[in-house]
Structures are given as structure tokens and as C-alpha cells.
Amino acid sequence: MSDVAERAGVSLSTVSRALRGASGVAPKVRAEIENAAAELGYVVSRGASSLVTGRTGRVAVLVPFLQPWFFGVALAGMNTTLRDAGRDMLVYQVGDVGELDDYIHSLPLRRNVDAVIALALDLDEREIARLDEIGLPVVFCSQRVKGRRSIFIDNTAAAAEATRHLLNLGHTRIAYIQSKDQTGFSWDSRDRLKGYQQAMADAGAEPLVLTERSGREGGARAMGKLMSVERPPTAVFAESDDVASGVLQVVRRSRLAVPGAVSVIGFDDNDLAALFDLTTVSQPVQEMGEHAARLAVDLVDGGAAQSDHHVRLETAFVVRHSTGPPRENMGLHG
């Protein structure tokens, strides 16, 4: 730092403030200091800086999974935004509710990060209270929490719109496939199921709900069961595009036409939805991650003072060729 100060012709304290991003340094002077640091290959030590500022320059993201499409896209949005803000992102996988409790107890997050983003954990009040024990700002991404900083979509309204699309095409036997796993987190499935049930009730139609494991395998298993009932549905609404891909796999392997024999709708608009020509609900996952990261940075920097700060992002219903009017006399078996 002394070498940087000498080359830039300023004091050590000015170098420290400039490289920490603190206020009180003229833009021209800050630029000269940054250029001198770059020429000398000087990098600010996160550890040393945190001793002075009380901040680590890091944001933790708690996720249940790393691999599925949703989490990868959301994390990419967060990482880009945090990097541009001069922050590092630490990702911690908490695979179930018990692991979250153990994590909060065993790892002193308050010494490692400045804020926490809970990504699609859909925590209940008890779990939120446990997260509060960390004593750091928390942003909820893909979950609306009353009185908390939240970035979310209206899953209920989006699912109701998708269901009404099928009803308006003339379908009345519409099945809904939801996922269940061993994590203990409820995800967005609860709100999407609620939207489906509301739309069916408004139309006077009888709901048919199947619960299977998540992903393509769960969708395939559920569709296999639906094809064996006495009066198979003429349409299927899957809670995610991954589940819908399993539905399409079984239907097409059975040499049945989509949407002639059965219409299929998904949710997400992931990378494969267009390839499968799947009608689906598109949610802005990357934008959701970007908003969550910006809000976390604002909280650390003293902004976003409102205790009840919500950002609701809009979904879009994307009609492709996996949905159409029912062929009542054809059914799945004919």
C-alpha cells in the first residue's frame, strides 16, 4: 500500500479509502490510485479490510440443490450482480430442513459474510426465526415473506392462468402433477397447486392431483398412472418443465399425439421447453437472482431501509404446440 501511495502521490489513508470503495475520495484521485494499484499488482486483502470495516465483502446464498436449471440460472444472475458490486458470492447447499438447522448452529455465518440470500427454500415461520439467529440481513428469493425483503413471482395467479387456458380450450378432465421430495422444503408447489384448484373450482370442474418425486422421472411415473385410469385426463398441467418432459416422454413413446390425445403444460420455460414445443409459464429466473443480489448489497450498504420491501416480478404465459382442444372421442386409448 505504501508503494501505491508513493506512485499516486497520496497518503496511505487515502489509498485505503479509495481501494475499499469508501466515500470522501475525488473521482480523479480514486482513478489514479486504482491505476497505480493495477500497475503494481496490488490487491486489497479481504481479511485485513474486514478488520477495519467490519465487513467481509461476501454474500452467502443458501440453496437446496445446485444442479437443476432454476438454481443454476438464479445463481448466475446473483453472481454477475455481486461481482459488479465488488462482492464475492459463497454458495452453501442445505439439502433439507434438518441440515439448515445444523448449518445455522455449526457455522458462524456472521463472521464469514455480510448478508444471506435464501434461494427457493420456502421456509416456514419457525425456519425463518432460526435464520434470524445468524443476526445478518436476509433476502428471500423466490418466496414472499411478510415484513421481509423478498423477490418473488405470483405462482398462484400464474398457475390459475395456465389452467384457464386448458379450460378455455374445452378441457374439463385436467390433471395436475406436483412434486414431493425428502428435503422438507415445500417449494413453490403449494401456491401453484392452489392456483390450479381455484381455476378448476371456478369452472365447476373436478380436480385430479397426483404427487410424485420431482423431475423427469416423477413426471413419467405420474403419467403412467394417469394413462391406466378408466377415464384418462385430456390435459395435464405439470408443476415444472422438468416434470412435463417426463409426461411428454411417456405420451410420445406410447405413440399418442400431443396435443391430439392429451395436452401438456409446464412451468418455468427452461432451456428445453422450446425444444419440446411445450406450452408453459415463463418466469424471469435470472432477473430474480439479480434483484436479490442488488437488494442484499443495498442492505449491507445501509440502503433499502423499508422493513417490508417486496419485488414481484411478472410471469408470461407462452403458448406453443403442446396444447389444443380435446378430441373427446379419441381419449388416450383410442
Side-chain angles (χ1 to χ4, degrees), residues 28-217:
K28 181 179 179 181
V29 175
R30 188 185 302 275
E32 291 174 351
I33 292 172
E34 290 174 350
N35 288 336
E39 292 170 0
L40 294 170
Y42 177 78
V43 179
V44 177
S45 166
R46 288 286 197 197
S49 179
S50 66
L51 293 175
V52 177
T53 65
R55 298 178 183 176
T56 65
R58 296 186 290 264
V59 173
V61 184
L62 307 183
V63 298
F65 300 115
L66 294 175
Q67 188 172 10
W69 170 87
F70 174 92
F71 297 99
V73 174
L75 288 171
M78 292 178 190
N79 184 61
T80 298
T81 302
L82 291 172
R83 185 183 62 224
D84 290 346
R87 264 69 170 194
D88 293 330
M89 181 176 77
L90 301 181
V91 180
Y92 296 96
Q93 183 177 358
V94 287
D96 54 43
V97 173
E99 191 172 336
L100 176 64
D101 285 347
D102 293 342
Y103 178 79
I104 291 172
H105 272 110
S106 64
L107 184 64
L109 268 178
R110 63 177 60 88
R111 295 207 306 261
N112 294 319
V113 299
D114 301 321
V116 175
I117 299 174
L119 174 57
L121 295 180
D122 201 11
L123 305 176
D124 61 26
E125 292 183 3
R126 183 191 69 84
E127 293 152 5
I128 292 171
R130 297 299 300 275
L131 199 55
D132 284 340
E133 295 176 10
I134 298 175
L136 292 170
V138 179
V139 174
F140 294 88
C141 184
S142 192
Q143 179 186 5
R144 177 169 184 169
V145 181
K146 186 177 181 180
R148 303 305 184 91
R149 284 82 174 187
S150 309
I151 316 295
F152 59 95
I153 62 169
D154 191 336
N155 281 284
T156 301
E161 180 183 9
T163 306
R164 285 194 297 269
H165 170 75
L166 293 171
L167 290 164
N168 291 337
L169 287 171
H171 296 277
T172 55
R173 299 196 308 278
I174 304 171
Y176 181 85
I177 302 175
Q178 67 173 352
S179 300
K180 183 178 181 180
D181 53 39
Q182 304 303 314
T183 65
F185 300 126
S186 57
W187 317 106
D188 301 314
S189 176
R190 177 180 53 209
D191 292 335
R192 293 177 191 175
L193 174 61
K194 181 180 177 181
Y196 159 79
Q197 291 173 326
Q198 285 179 351
M200 294 290 281
D202 291 344
E206 187 71 23
L208 173 59
V209 180
L210 271 74
T211 302
E212 274 292 346
R213 63 183 301 173
S214 60
R216 182 177 302 180
E217 182 179 346

Side-chain angles (χ1 to χ4, degrees), residues 272-331:
L272 293 178
L275 180 63
F276 291 152
D277 211 7
L278 177 66
T279 296
T280 189
V281 177
S282 177
Q283 60 170 325
V285 179
Q286 181 166 336
E287 186 180 355
M288 196 181 299
E290 293 169 353
H291 272 279
R294 279 195 294 269
L295 187 50
V297 171
D298 287 345
L299 286 168
V300 173
D301 291 344
Q306 288 184 322
S307 61
D308 191 6
H309 186 83
H310 292 151
V311 177
R312 188 184 73 183
L313 301 180
E314 297 299 320
T315 59
F317 188 60
V318 181
V319 180
R320 296 193 177 99
H321 291 93
S322 67
T323 53
R327 297 180 184 175
E328 288 296 335
N329 296 325
M330 176 179 289

